[in-house]
Amino acid sequence: QVQLVESGGGLVQPGGSLRLSCAASGFTFSSYAMSWVRQAPGKGLEWVSDVNSGGGTPYYADSVKGRFSISRDNAKNTLYLQMNSLKPEDTAVYYCAKGLVAGPGYGMDYWGKGTLVTVSS
């Protein structure tokens, strides 16, 4: 049974930092690309970042490039998103998602339930 459980969300001030984690189980984590996707209140889904199965070749949306960093620890079956210089427009529910193959860009088949990040003073 594939399970993806996000954690680390909460309320932070503009300019602050937060680190999200996604604990994965039920599949061979090290064989698949992983992604972060977010949904702001009242808006559609927005792809944020992804990384290949080995932790290399990260990709970022222009809106977060230079501020966010994706990484993974395959020995711990965990995906991370380090978020720095947070802005109010980063407020969203953040989801981690499993890729269909080892490389990114080929779709996703499982998502977690999400963790809420609120950036406000």
Side-chain angles (χ1 to χ4, degrees), residues 12-19 38 63-69 82-91 94 117 119:
V12 297
Q13 294 184 334
S17 297
L18 209 58
R19 191 193 199 199
R38 68 186 182 185
S63 58
V64 307
K65 196 170 298 180
R67 300 188 296 119
F68 290 12
S69 180
Q82 178 65 48
M83 306 185 295
N84 299 322
S85 302
L86 284 162
K87 304 174 180 179
E89 51 263 46
D90 293 319
T91 296
Y94 285 72
V117 173
V119 185

Side-chain angles (χ1 to χ4, degrees), residues 59-81:
Y59 294 90
Y60 302 95
D62 287 343
S63 58
V64 307
K65 196 170 298 180
R67 300 188 296 119
F68 290 12
S69 180
I70 190 171
S71 62
R72 64 193 295 163
D73 187 338
N74 285 345
K76 298 176 68 174
N77 288 171
T78 304
L79 177 73
Y80 303 99
L81 185 67

